[in-house]
């Protein structure tokens, strides 16, 4: 128990830590009120003591506001994420154009990951997590999984469920879709009523480098983020859960930098994903100036979803849903829509609102109604998908 409390206090997103900052702020404000006139000693000492109390009160208030904003928007999970001291790269070999490094996954042994229950009220009920080291990408990080209500029912014991891989922004927590967007809490009752397909929801770590956005790319010697997300995370899920293995049963969705990644992954790997969702995303990696793909002209070009679409040997059999404000994803979405050729399909929707989790939270249900209509049929559906 002591270890659990301690880890909660040390975690940036833990409720105990947030409560600690509130208590600290209250103490920091009350302290000068009580001690201001009681400070003794020479005038220089009194002045310095009072200055320390004022600075302490301001620092405590700033920390509390930062933690509140961080928790609301799912920015950083831990101090190591904030300070850039985490180590999530075991190695970064050159894996080739397909990102497989010459491996045939059908011949690779199954992974046996230990997924344990997450006890975090902000993430809702039923979320599990495992620490995964990707055998192909050599990336290590947490992978959160939520199973739909139907997963444990006898009628579904032989059913393989469709999967949606969820990507946060940058900086971004691997808990954001569950914690800030309340994706599982919003979808569970609709899945029970048969309005939305019983998807397995998967949210992997995307914050892998020290204060740099990976752009979800493979860069030999630096990081293999693309293979981590599109190969290793998929394998960890299909090896350990009754999850669909073919592209028709998989989608990838993201917001902000995660939207850029989701669209790029779907277009680059139609053999792995049938659908992609981008909320307030962008095409040009240069939109995120700390992205490693924005610093190199070649990487910037080949990791642009619009370039990928235009230079595909054959139009990818992928369905895309894109939303955003006029200068926050909408125009980039229209560019993709104009360039798309059958069987690629692109739906673009204009939305209004600030670039925050509140805007994306409101779109969750509509997005999953659209995904329900795009992915493989499933048993027990009682209502048609409404779309967006």
């Amino acid at each position: 128990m002591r270890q659990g409390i301690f880890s909660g206090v040390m975690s940036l997103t833990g409720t105990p830590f947030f409560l600690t900052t509130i208590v600290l702020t209250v103490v920091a404000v009350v302290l000068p009120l009580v001690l201001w006139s009681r400070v003794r000693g020479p005038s220089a000492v009194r002045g310095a003591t009072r200055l320390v109390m004022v600075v302490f009160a301001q620092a405590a208030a700033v920390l509390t506001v930062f933690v509140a904003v961080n928790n609301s928007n799912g920015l950083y999970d831990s101090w190591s994420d904030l300070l850039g001291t985490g180590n999530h790269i075991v190695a970064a070999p050159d894996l080739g154009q397909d990102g497989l490094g010459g491996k045939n996954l059908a011949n690779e042994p199954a992974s046996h990951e230990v997924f344990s229950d997450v006890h975090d009220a902000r993430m809702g009920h039923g979320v599990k997590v495992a620490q995964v080291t990707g055998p192909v990408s050599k990336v290590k990080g947490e992978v959160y999984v939520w199973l739909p209500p139907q997963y444990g029912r006898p009628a579904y014991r032989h059913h393989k469920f469709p999967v949606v891989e969820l990507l946060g922004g940058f900086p971004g927590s691997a808990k954001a879709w569950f914690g800030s967007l309340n994706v599982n809490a919003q979808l569970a009752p609709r899945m029970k009523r048969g309005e939305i397909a019983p998807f397995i929801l998967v949210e992997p770590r995307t914050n892998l480098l020290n204060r740099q956005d990976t752009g979800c790319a493979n860069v030999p010697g630096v990081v293999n983020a693309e293979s981590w997300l599109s190969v290793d995370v998929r394998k960890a899920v299909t090896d350990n859960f009754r999850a669909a293995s073919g592209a028709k049963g998989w989608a990838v969705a993201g917001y902000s930098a995660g939207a850029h990644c989701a669209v790029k992954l779907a277009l680059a790997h139609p053999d792995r994903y049938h659908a992609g969702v981008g909320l307030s995303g962008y095409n040009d990696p240069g939109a995120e100036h700390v992205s490693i793909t924005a610093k190199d002209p070649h990487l910037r070009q080949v990791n642009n979803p619009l370039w990928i679409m235009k230079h595909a040997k054959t139009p990818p059999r992928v369905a895309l849903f894109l939303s955003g404000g006029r200068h926050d994803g909408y125009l980039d979405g229209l560019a993709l829509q104009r360039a798309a050729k059958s069987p690629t399909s692109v739906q673009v929707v204009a939305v209004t609102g600030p670039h925050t989790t509140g805007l994306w939270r409101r779109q969750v249900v509509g997005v999953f109604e659209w995904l329900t209509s795009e992915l493989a049929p499933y048993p027990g559906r009682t209502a048609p998908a409404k779309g967006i």
Side-chain angles (χ1 to χ4, degrees), residues 263 267 278 280-283 304-306 309-310 320-341 344-351:
V263 174
L267 289 172
S280 304
Y282 49 85
N283 292 329
N304 185 320
L306 186 59
M309 179 184 286
K310 289 181 176 180
L320 299 178
F321 172 82
L322 309 170
S323 74
R326 181 170 179 80
H327 298 290
D328 191 24
Y330 180 69
L331 294 180
D332 284 37
L334 290 180
L336 287 167
Q337 188 179 59
R338 288 192 295 268
K341 298 177 181 179
T344 307
S345 66
V346 181
Q347 180 175 344
V348 186
V349 174
V351 296

Side-chain angles (χ1 to χ4, degrees), residues 114-138:
V114 179
F115 283 85
S116 55
D117 293 335
V118 175
H119 301 288
D120 186 339
R122 296 182 315 106
M123 296 181 71
H125 176 70
V127 181
K128 301 176 182 295
V129 66
Q131 296 295 326
V132 176
T133 299
V136 175
S137 68
K138 307 303 180 185

Side-chain angles (χ1 to χ4, degrees), residues 8-22 24-25 59-77 79 82 122 180:
V9 171
M10 294 305 294
S11 169
L12 275 173
T13 58
T15 299
F17 182 70
F18 182 50
L19 295 177
T20 300
T21 63
I22 293 176
L24 188 65
T25 301
V62 169
L63 178 62
T64 300
V65 171
F66 167 76
V67 173
V69 171
N70 179 71
N71 289 357
S72 176
N73 291 281
L75 302 177
Y76 301 99
D77 275 339
W79 289 104
L82 175 62
R122 296 182 315 106
S180 300

Side-chain angles (χ1 to χ4, degrees), residues 182-308:
N182 305 130
V183 61
N184 46 333
Q186 292 195 65
L187 298 184
R190 293 172 172 85
M191 289 182 182
K192 289 179 180 179
R193 295 194 297 266
E195 299 169 0
I196 288 176
F199 294 105
I200 294 176
L201 306 181
V202 180
E203 187 167 13
R205 168 177 281 274
T206 56
N207 189 0
L208 303 175
L209 296 175
N210 180 7
R211 301 188 187 90
Q212 296 180 89
D213 176 26
T214 67
C216 299
N218 282 359
V219 182
V222 181
V223 65
N224 285 320
E226 185 168 344
S227 292
W228 161 247
L229 296 172
S230 68
V231 177
D232 289 331
V233 171
R234 282 175 52 91
K235 182 171 172 55
V237 173
T238 56
D239 284 352
N240 291 276
F241 300 97
R242 297 196 312 277
S245 57
K248 185 62 178 176
W250 275 75
V252 57
Y255 62 81
S256 191
H260 165 76
C261 288
V263 174
K264 188 194 83 168
L265 291 174
L267 289 172
H269 302 290
D271 59 325
R272 301 170 195 173
Y273 304 99
H274 174 68
V277 174
L279 309 180
S280 304
Y282 49 85
N283 292 329
D284 181 4
E288 176 51 76
H289 69 281
V290 296
S291 171
I292 59 173
T293 57
K295 300 175 182 179
D296 178 272
H298 175 69
L299 290 176
R300 184 171 180 175
Q301 180 183 64
V302 299
N303 284 282
N304 185 320
L306 186 59
W307 187 93
I308 294 172

